[in-house]
Amino acid sequence: MTTLRDPRLVKSVADRILSLPLSGPIRIMEVCGGHTAAIYRYALPSLLPEEVELVSGPGCPVCVTPIDFVDHAVELAGLRDVTIATFGDLLRVPGSACTLSEARGSGLDIQVMYSSADALRFAEEHPKRLVILLGIGFETTACTIAATMRKAIQRGVKNLKLLSGLKTMPAALSALLRSHETCLDGLILPGHVCTVTGTTPFEFIASELNMPCAVSGFEPADLLDCIHAICLQKLEGSYEVQNRYRRVVQTAGNRHAQDAIVSVFQSCDSNWRGLGAIPCSGLSLRPEYAAWDAEHILARRGVSKENRACRCGDVLCGRIQPSACPLFAKTCSPNSPMGACMVSSEGACAAVYQYQTEYA
Protein backbone atom coordinates (compact mmCIF):
# COMPACT_ATOMS: atom_id res chain seq x y z
CA MET A 1 0.00 0.00 0.00
CA THR A 2 3.00 2.29 0.40
CA THR A 3 3.00 2.70 -3.40
CA LEU A 4 -0.36 4.42 -3.15
CA ARG A 5 1.19 6.93 -0.72
CA ASP A 6 4.12 7.73 -3.00
CA PRO A 7 4.22 11.55 -3.21
CA ARG A 8 4.93 11.45 -6.96
CA LEU A 9 1.90 9.25 -7.62
CA VAL A 10 -0.31 11.33 -5.33
CA LYS A 11 0.77 14.54 -7.08
CA SER A 12 0.18 13.05 -10.52
CA VAL A 13 -3.40 12.08 -9.62
CA ALA A 14 -3.99 15.48 -8.03
CA ASP A 15 -2.66 17.12 -11.21
CA ARG A 16 -5.21 15.13 -13.24
CA ILE A 17 -7.97 16.71 -11.15
CA LEU A 18 -6.42 20.17 -11.46
CA SER A 19 -6.32 19.81 -15.24
CA LEU A 20 -10.07 19.19 -15.51
CA PRO A 21 -12.03 22.11 -17.02
CA LEU A 22 -14.25 22.61 -13.99
CA SER A 23 -16.52 25.62 -14.42
CA GLY A 24 -18.43 25.54 -11.14
CA PRO A 25 -18.47 24.10 -7.64
CA ILE A 26 -18.52 20.34 -7.16
CA ARG A 27 -19.54 19.15 -3.72
CA ILE A 28 -18.56 15.55 -2.92
CA MET A 29 -19.52 13.64 0.24
CA GLU A 30 -17.61 10.75 1.75
CA VAL A 31 -19.69 8.34 3.84
CA CYS A 32 -17.04 6.28 5.57
CA GLY A 33 -15.25 7.26 8.75
CA GLY A 34 -12.05 5.67 7.45
CA HIS A 35 -12.21 7.91 4.39
CA THR A 36 -12.83 10.97 6.56
CA ALA A 37 -9.75 10.26 8.65
CA ALA A 38 -7.60 9.57 5.57
CA ILE A 39 -8.73 12.72 3.76
CA TYR A 40 -7.55 14.94 6.60
CA ARG A 41 -4.56 12.82 7.60
CA TYR A 42 -3.14 13.26 4.09
CA ALA A 43 -4.36 16.87 3.75
CA LEU A 44 -6.14 16.02 0.50
CA PRO A 45 -8.35 19.16 0.42
CA SER A 46 -5.17 21.22 0.00
CA LEU A 47 -4.40 19.32 -3.23
CA LEU A 48 -7.77 20.00 -4.86
CA PRO A 49 -8.92 22.89 -7.02
CA GLU A 50 -11.05 25.47 -5.23
CA GLU A 51 -14.13 24.28 -7.14
CA VAL A 52 -14.07 20.91 -5.34
CA GLU A 53 -15.43 20.81 -1.79
CA LEU A 54 -15.38 17.66 0.32
CA VAL A 55 -18.01 17.18 3.01
CA SER A 56 -18.46 14.35 5.48
CA GLY A 57 -21.60 12.26 5.74
CA PRO A 58 -23.06 9.62 8.06
CA GLY A 59 -20.12 7.22 7.85
CA CYS A 60 -18.73 7.04 11.37
CA PRO A 61 -20.49 4.32 13.45
CA VAL A 62 -20.02 6.08 16.78
CA CYS A 63 -21.15 9.42 15.34
CA VAL A 64 -24.45 8.16 13.89
CA THR A 65 -25.39 6.28 17.07
CA PRO A 66 -28.14 8.40 18.66
CA ILE A 67 -28.07 9.67 22.21
CA ASP A 68 -30.97 7.44 23.30
CA PHE A 69 -28.82 4.34 22.61
CA VAL A 70 -26.18 5.66 25.03
CA ASP A 71 -28.87 6.48 27.59
CA HIS A 72 -30.36 3.00 27.25
CA ALA A 73 -26.94 1.42 27.75
CA VAL A 74 -26.37 3.45 30.92
CA GLU A 75 -29.78 2.39 32.24
CA LEU A 76 -29.03 -1.27 31.55
CA ALA A 77 -25.65 -0.94 33.28
CA GLY A 78 -27.49 0.07 36.42
CA LEU A 79 -29.37 -3.24 36.62
CA ARG A 80 -28.26 -5.87 39.10
CA ASP A 81 -25.54 -8.36 38.00
CA VAL A 82 -25.17 -6.71 34.57
CA THR A 83 -21.88 -6.17 32.75
CA ILE A 84 -21.89 -3.88 29.73
CA ALA A 85 -19.42 -4.89 27.00
CA THR A 86 -18.61 -2.07 24.61
CA PHE A 87 -16.12 -1.00 21.99
CA GLY A 88 -13.85 1.75 23.26
CA ASP A 89 -15.01 4.62 21.04
CA LEU A 90 -18.52 4.50 22.45
CA LEU A 91 -17.26 5.02 25.98
CA ARG A 92 -16.90 8.81 25.69
CA VAL A 93 -19.98 9.65 23.61
CA PRO A 94 -22.11 12.08 25.62
CA GLY A 95 -25.46 10.82 26.84
CA SER A 96 -28.25 12.93 28.32
CA ALA A 97 -26.85 12.70 31.85
CA CYS A 98 -23.43 11.10 31.47
CA THR A 99 -21.13 9.08 29.26
CA LEU A 100 -20.55 5.36 29.69
CA SER A 101 -17.09 6.26 30.97
CA GLU A 102 -18.58 8.46 33.66
CA ALA A 103 -21.09 5.74 34.54
CA ARG A 104 -18.19 3.32 34.91
CA GLY A 105 -16.47 5.83 37.19
CA SER A 106 -19.56 5.78 39.42
CA GLY A 107 -19.09 2.05 39.97
CA LEU A 108 -21.14 0.43 37.19
CA ASP A 109 -19.58 -2.60 35.48
CA ILE A 110 -18.78 -1.37 31.98
CA GLN A 111 -15.93 -3.11 30.21
CA VAL A 112 -14.16 -2.32 26.96
CA MET A 113 -13.89 -5.26 24.55
CA TYR A 114 -11.69 -5.36 21.49
CA SER A 115 -14.06 -7.68 19.64
CA SER A 116 -17.48 -9.24 20.03
CA ALA A 117 -15.70 -12.58 20.51
CA ASP A 118 -14.16 -11.15 23.70
CA ALA A 119 -17.68 -10.48 25.01
CA LEU A 120 -18.71 -14.09 24.35
CA ARG A 121 -15.57 -15.37 26.09
CA PHE A 122 -16.24 -13.10 29.09
CA ALA A 123 -19.85 -14.32 29.30
CA GLU A 124 -18.76 -17.96 29.29
CA GLU A 125 -16.19 -17.26 32.00
CA HIS A 126 -18.70 -15.36 34.17
CA PRO A 127 -21.96 -17.37 33.99
CA LYS A 128 -23.53 -15.47 36.90
CA ARG A 129 -23.19 -12.12 35.11
CA LEU A 130 -25.60 -10.92 32.41
CA VAL A 131 -23.27 -9.57 29.73
CA ILE A 132 -24.86 -7.05 27.37
CA LEU A 133 -22.87 -6.39 24.21
CA LEU A 134 -23.41 -2.94 22.69
CA GLY A 135 -23.48 -3.62 18.96
CA ILE A 136 -22.91 -0.56 16.81
CA GLY A 137 -21.52 -0.21 13.31
CA PHE A 138 -22.41 -0.96 9.71
CA GLU A 139 -22.43 -4.09 7.57
CA THR A 140 -18.69 -4.62 8.13
CA THR A 141 -19.16 -4.96 11.88
CA ALA A 142 -22.56 -6.64 11.61
CA CYS A 143 -21.10 -9.77 10.03
CA THR A 144 -18.57 -10.24 12.85
CA ILE A 145 -21.20 -9.69 15.55
CA ALA A 146 -23.49 -12.09 13.68
CA ALA A 147 -20.78 -14.75 13.82
CA THR A 148 -20.37 -14.20 17.56
CA MET A 149 -24.09 -14.31 18.29
CA ARG A 150 -24.44 -17.47 16.18
CA LYS A 151 -21.77 -19.13 18.35
CA ALA A 152 -23.56 -17.96 21.52
CA ILE A 153 -26.84 -19.38 20.21
CA GLN A 154 -25.27 -22.69 19.16
CA ARG A 155 -23.54 -23.06 22.53
CA GLY A 156 -26.61 -21.98 24.49
CA VAL A 157 -24.80 -19.07 26.16
CA LYS A 158 -27.86 -17.15 27.27
CA ASN A 159 -26.10 -14.77 29.63
CA LEU A 160 -24.76 -12.90 26.56
CA LYS A 161 -27.30 -10.55 25.04
CA LEU A 162 -27.02 -7.98 22.28
CA LEU A 163 -28.30 -4.41 22.35
CA SER A 164 -28.26 -3.77 18.64
CA GLY A 165 -27.59 -0.34 17.23
CA LEU A 166 -26.32 -1.88 13.98
CA LYS A 167 -27.12 0.03 10.82
CA THR A 168 -27.12 -0.52 7.07
CA MET A 169 -25.88 2.13 4.70
CA PRO A 170 -28.01 2.01 1.49
CA ALA A 171 -31.30 3.03 3.15
CA ALA A 172 -29.61 5.88 5.01
CA LEU A 173 -28.06 7.24 1.82
CA SER A 174 -31.39 6.96 0.07
CA ALA A 175 -33.09 8.95 2.84
CA LEU A 176 -30.34 11.58 2.89
CA LEU A 177 -30.23 12.08 -0.87
CA ARG A 178 -33.98 12.02 -1.42
CA SER A 179 -34.51 14.63 1.31
CA HIS A 180 -32.70 17.21 -0.89
CA GLU A 181 -31.64 19.00 2.30
CA THR A 182 -28.01 18.72 1.30
CA CYS A 183 -26.70 19.90 -2.06
CA LEU A 184 -24.33 17.27 -3.41
CA ASP A 185 -22.76 16.47 -6.79
CA GLY A 186 -21.20 13.11 -6.00
CA LEU A 187 -20.56 10.42 -3.43
CA ILE A 188 -17.44 8.55 -2.39
CA LEU A 189 -18.99 5.21 -1.45
CA PRO A 190 -17.80 3.40 1.68
CA GLY A 191 -15.00 0.99 0.86
CA HIS A 192 -15.37 -1.14 3.99
CA VAL A 193 -19.14 -1.53 3.69
CA CYS A 194 -18.86 -2.39 -0.01
CA THR A 195 -16.50 -5.27 0.75
CA VAL A 196 -19.54 -6.92 2.36
CA THR A 197 -22.45 -5.58 0.31
CA GLY A 198 -20.76 -5.17 -3.06
CA THR A 199 -21.72 -2.28 -5.30
CA THR A 200 -25.16 -3.49 -6.39
CA PRO A 201 -27.14 -2.01 -3.42
CA PHE A 202 -25.81 1.44 -4.36
CA GLU A 203 -26.78 1.34 -8.06
CA PHE A 204 -29.94 3.37 -7.32
CA ILE A 205 -27.80 6.42 -6.58
CA ALA A 206 -26.73 6.64 -10.20
CA SER A 207 -29.74 5.12 -11.95
CA GLU A 208 -32.55 6.80 -9.96
CA LEU A 209 -30.94 9.90 -8.48
CA ASN A 210 -28.57 10.76 -11.33
CA MET A 211 -25.60 11.22 -9.06
CA PRO A 212 -22.00 10.23 -9.88
CA CYS A 213 -20.40 7.97 -7.33
CA ALA A 214 -17.41 5.71 -6.90
CA VAL A 215 -16.07 3.21 -4.39
CA SER A 216 -12.70 4.15 -2.96
CA GLY A 217 -9.87 2.56 -1.04
CA PHE A 218 -8.19 4.30 1.86
CA GLU A 219 -4.86 5.48 0.53
CA PRO A 220 -4.36 9.05 -0.70
CA ALA A 221 -3.97 7.99 -4.34
CA ASP A 222 -7.15 5.88 -4.01
CA LEU A 223 -9.22 8.80 -2.77
CA LEU A 224 -7.88 11.29 -5.30
CA ASP A 225 -8.49 8.79 -8.12
CA CYS A 226 -12.06 8.42 -6.88
CA ILE A 227 -12.55 12.20 -6.75
CA HIS A 228 -11.18 12.46 -10.29
CA ALA A 229 -13.65 9.79 -11.47
CA ILE A 230 -16.58 11.64 -9.89
CA CYS A 231 -15.53 15.01 -11.35
CA LEU A 232 -15.15 13.40 -14.77
CA GLN A 233 -18.64 11.93 -14.57
CA LYS A 234 -19.97 15.34 -13.60
CA LEU A 235 -18.27 16.98 -16.57
CA GLU A 236 -19.50 14.32 -18.99
CA GLY A 237 -23.04 14.31 -17.58
CA SER A 238 -22.84 10.59 -16.89
CA TYR A 239 -24.02 8.75 -13.80
CA GLU A 240 -22.65 5.42 -12.72
CA VAL A 241 -21.24 3.52 -9.77
CA GLN A 242 -17.55 3.13 -10.50
CA ASN A 243 -15.67 0.55 -8.48
CA ARG A 244 -12.19 2.09 -7.99
CA TYR A 245 -11.38 -0.36 -5.19
CA ARG A 246 -11.35 -3.56 -7.22
CA ARG A 247 -8.47 -5.08 -5.29
CA VAL A 248 -10.93 -5.63 -2.43
CA VAL A 249 -14.53 -4.91 -3.53
CA GLN A 250 -16.51 -7.23 -5.79
CA THR A 251 -19.80 -6.34 -7.49
CA ALA A 252 -21.74 -8.96 -5.54
CA GLY A 253 -19.81 -8.43 -2.31
CA ASN A 254 -18.91 -11.14 0.18
CA ARG A 255 -21.61 -13.84 0.13
CA HIS A 256 -20.34 -15.54 3.28
CA ALA A 257 -20.54 -12.29 5.25
CA GLN A 258 -23.99 -11.54 3.85
CA ASP A 259 -25.21 -15.04 4.77
CA ALA A 260 -23.86 -14.63 8.30
CA ILE A 261 -25.82 -11.41 8.71
CA VAL A 262 -29.16 -12.73 7.44
CA SER A 263 -28.83 -15.93 9.46
CA VAL A 264 -29.04 -13.94 12.71
CA PHE A 265 -30.46 -10.52 11.88
CA GLN A 266 -33.49 -9.05 10.19
CA SER A 267 -33.97 -5.57 8.79
CA CYS A 268 -35.61 -3.03 11.09
CA ASP A 269 -36.23 0.68 11.36
CA SER A 270 -33.38 2.54 13.02
CA ASN A 271 -32.75 5.95 14.52
CA TRP A 272 -29.72 7.86 13.18
CA ARG A 273 -28.15 10.92 14.75
CA GLY A 274 -28.94 13.81 12.43
CA LEU A 275 -31.14 11.81 10.11
CA GLY A 276 -33.79 10.57 12.53
CA ALA A 277 -35.71 7.33 12.14
CA ILE A 278 -35.15 5.64 8.78
CA PRO A 279 -37.20 2.61 7.70
CA CYS A 280 -35.25 -0.61 7.11
CA SER A 281 -31.89 0.98 7.95
CA GLY A 282 -31.00 -1.16 10.97
CA LEU A 283 -30.50 -4.75 12.03
CA SER A 284 -32.20 -6.50 14.94
CA LEU A 285 -31.99 -10.12 16.07
CA ARG A 286 -34.48 -12.41 14.39
CA PRO A 287 -37.57 -13.18 16.54
CA GLU A 288 -36.48 -16.79 17.16
CA TYR A 289 -33.39 -15.41 18.95
CA ALA A 290 -35.30 -13.10 21.30
CA ALA A 291 -33.63 -14.82 24.28
CA TRP A 292 -30.37 -13.15 23.24
CA ASP A 293 -31.92 -9.71 22.59
CA ALA A 294 -31.23 -7.06 25.25
CA GLU A 295 -33.84 -4.80 23.71
CA HIS A 296 -36.45 -6.84 25.59
CA ILE A 297 -34.86 -6.41 29.02
CA LEU A 298 -37.00 -4.20 31.19
CA ALA A 299 -35.20 -0.97 31.95
CA ARG A 300 -36.33 2.50 32.75
CA ARG A 301 -36.38 4.61 29.58
CA GLY A 302 -36.17 8.31 30.35
CA VAL A 303 -36.43 11.13 27.80
CA SER A 304 -33.13 11.74 25.99
CA LYS A 305 -31.97 15.32 25.62
CA GLU A 306 -29.37 16.48 23.11
CA ASN A 307 -27.06 19.43 23.70
CA ARG A 308 -28.85 22.03 21.59
CA ALA A 309 -25.65 23.89 20.79
CA CYS A 310 -24.01 20.77 19.34
CA ARG A 311 -24.26 20.61 15.51
CA CYS A 312 -23.18 16.99 15.03
CA GLY A 313 -26.44 16.22 13.23
CA ASP A 314 -25.81 18.96 10.67
CA VAL A 315 -22.20 17.82 10.21
CA LEU A 316 -23.32 14.24 9.57
CA CYS A 317 -25.77 15.39 6.91
CA GLY A 318 -23.22 17.58 5.18
CA ARG A 319 -25.15 20.75 5.95
CA ILE A 320 -22.15 22.40 7.60
CA GLN A 321 -18.43 21.87 7.94
CA PRO A 322 -17.25 20.99 11.49
CA SER A 323 -15.68 24.42 12.00
CA ALA A 324 -19.14 26.01 11.58
CA CYS A 325 -20.33 24.46 14.85
CA PRO A 326 -20.19 27.11 17.59
CA LEU A 327 -18.65 24.59 20.00
CA PHE A 328 -15.86 23.45 17.66
CA ALA A 329 -12.37 23.98 19.13
CA LYS A 330 -13.88 26.16 21.85
CA THR A 331 -15.67 24.05 24.41
CA CYS A 332 -15.51 20.90 22.23
CA SER A 333 -12.24 19.11 21.53
CA PRO A 334 -11.03 15.47 21.41
CA ASN A 335 -9.97 15.76 25.05
CA SER A 336 -13.37 17.13 26.06
CA PRO A 337 -15.92 16.14 23.40
CA MET A 338 -19.35 17.73 23.56
CA GLY A 339 -20.65 15.74 20.59
CA ALA A 340 -20.16 12.31 19.06
CA CYS A 341 -18.32 13.59 15.98
CA MET A 342 -15.47 14.78 18.21
CA VAL A 343 -15.05 11.42 19.97
CA SER A 344 -13.87 8.90 17.41
CA SER A 345 -10.77 9.38 15.25
CA GLU A 346 -13.14 8.67 12.33
CA GLY A 347 -15.46 11.51 13.30
CA ALA A 348 -15.39 14.54 11.03
CA CYS A 349 -14.94 17.02 13.87
CA ALA A 350 -12.11 15.03 15.45
CA ALA A 351 -10.32 14.61 12.10
CA VAL A 352 -10.57 18.28 11.20
CA TYR A 353 -9.52 19.31 14.71
CA GLN A 354 -6.51 16.99 14.81
CA TYR A 355 -5.07 17.41 11.36
CA GLN A 356 -5.98 20.98 10.52
CA THR A 357 -4.56 22.03 13.88
CA GLU A 358 -1.38 20.14 13.06
CA TYR A 359 -1.05 21.82 9.69
CA ALA A 360 -2.07 25.29 10.90
Side-chain angles (χ1 to χ4, degrees):
M1 294 305 101
T2 55
T3 303
L4 296 172
R5 299 176 192 173
D6 186 313
R8 290 169 297 183
L9 175 62
V10 171
K11 184 177 184 307
S12 71
V13 184
D15 286 344
R16 283 164 49 202
I17 301 173
L18 290 167
S19 69
L20 294 173
L22 303 177
S23 58
I26 295 184
R27 205 161 186 260
I28 300 172
M29 172 180 278
E30 89 276 357
V31 287
C32 176
H35 286 159
T36 301
I39 284 168
Y40 291 100
R41 180 184 305 121
Y42 298 116
L44 299 189
S46 67
L47 302 178
L48 300 174
E50 62 181 13
E51 290 88 350
V52 178
E53 180 187 8
L54 302 181
V55 295
S56 298
C60 162
V62 169
C63 305
V64 300
T65 300
I67 192 169
D68 62 343
F69 184 89
V70 177
D71 292 343
H72 192 185
V74 171
E75 290 171 340
L76 290 171
L79 298 178
R80 185 176 181 181
D81 297 329
V82 164
T83 296
I84 295 292
T86 180
F87 301 125
D89 280 353
L90 194 57
L91 211 57
R92 297 195 306 135
V93 174
S96 296
C98 66
T99 65
L100 285 165
S101 179
E102 291 165 340
R104 184 171 66 173
S106 71
L108 301 184
D109 189 5
I110 299 171
Q111 304 210 18
V112 173
M113 304 285 173
Y114 293 100
S115 71
S116 56
D118 289 344
L120 173 58
R121 189 178 308 113
F122 184 90
E124 290 179 309
E125 293 172 352
H126 300 80
K128 293 185 179 180
R129 301 291 297 176
L130 174 58
V131 181
I132 298 178
L133 172 63
L134 305 183
I136 65 166
F138 302 116
E139 289 88 340
T140 322
T141 308
C143 60
T144 63
I145 291 180
T148 295
M149 296 311 299
R150 194 160 56 183
K151 285 183 181 177
I153 292 164
Q154 290 170 346
R155 297 176 187 174
V157 183
K158 291 190 175 180
N159 67 318
L160 175 67
K161 298 186 187 298
L162 175 70
L163 183 65
S164 178
L166 294 167
K167 303 186 186 308
T168 53
M169 188 58 79
L173 291 184
S174 177
L176 175 66
L177 298 175
R178 294 181 197 278
S179 72
H180 301 294
E181 290 185 9
T182 303
C183 180
L184 296 174
D185 298 291
L187 276 181
I188 300 174
L189 294 176
H192 287 150
V193 167
C194 288
T195 60
V196 174
T197 65
T199 57
T200 302
F202 298 98
E203 290 288 347
F204 74 93
I205 298 172
S207 63
E208 297 178 21
L209 303 177
N210 295 337
M211 180 172 288
C213 48
V215 186
S216 177
F218 295 84
E219 301 298 333
D222 282 329
L223 285 157
L224 289 172
D225 173 65
C226 192
I227 293 167
H228 177 265
I230 291 171
C231 289
L232 205 55
Q233 285 189 53
K234 179 72 175 176
L235 284 172
E236 294 173 346
S238 60
Y239 314 105
E240 59 180 309
V241 176
Q242 290 192 7
N243 183 0
R244 315 294 290 189
Y245 195 27
R246 290 184 182 277
R247 65 183 183 273
V248 175
V249 173
Q250 306 297 318
T251 302
N254 184 321
R255 295 291 188 193
H256 294 295
Q258 295 167 17
D259 289 346
I261 292 172
V262 299
S263 71
V264 176
F265 294 118
Q266 63 180 5
S267 179
C268 67
D269 299 348
S270 187
N271 191 24
W272 296 59
R273 187 186 300 271
L275 292 168
I278 301 175
C280 301
S281 68
L283 294 169
S284 62
L285 285 169
R286 302 179 74 86
E288 56 266 39
Y289 304 132
W292 286 267
D293 194 344
E295 191 68 42
H296 300 294
I297 298 174
L298 181 63
R300 184 184 64 84
R301 302 295 299 270
V303 177
S304 296
K305 295 180 180 178
E306 295 271 8
N307 181 340
R308 292 186 177 182
C310 174
R311 301 286 299 277
C312 277
D314 291 324
V315 171
L316 289 167
C317 294
R319 299 188 192 103
I320 64 170
Q321 294 285 1
S323 58
C325 175
L327 306 181
F328 181 81
K330 297 182 177 71
T331 57
C332 185
S333 70
N335 288 331
S336 182
M338 303 295 287
C341 296
M342 192 59 94
V343 173
S344 169
S345 61
E346 294 189 347
C349 295
V352 170
Y353 183 96
Q354 178 178 353
Y355 295 110
Q356 291 199 347
T357 300
E358 281 186 8
Y359 298 130

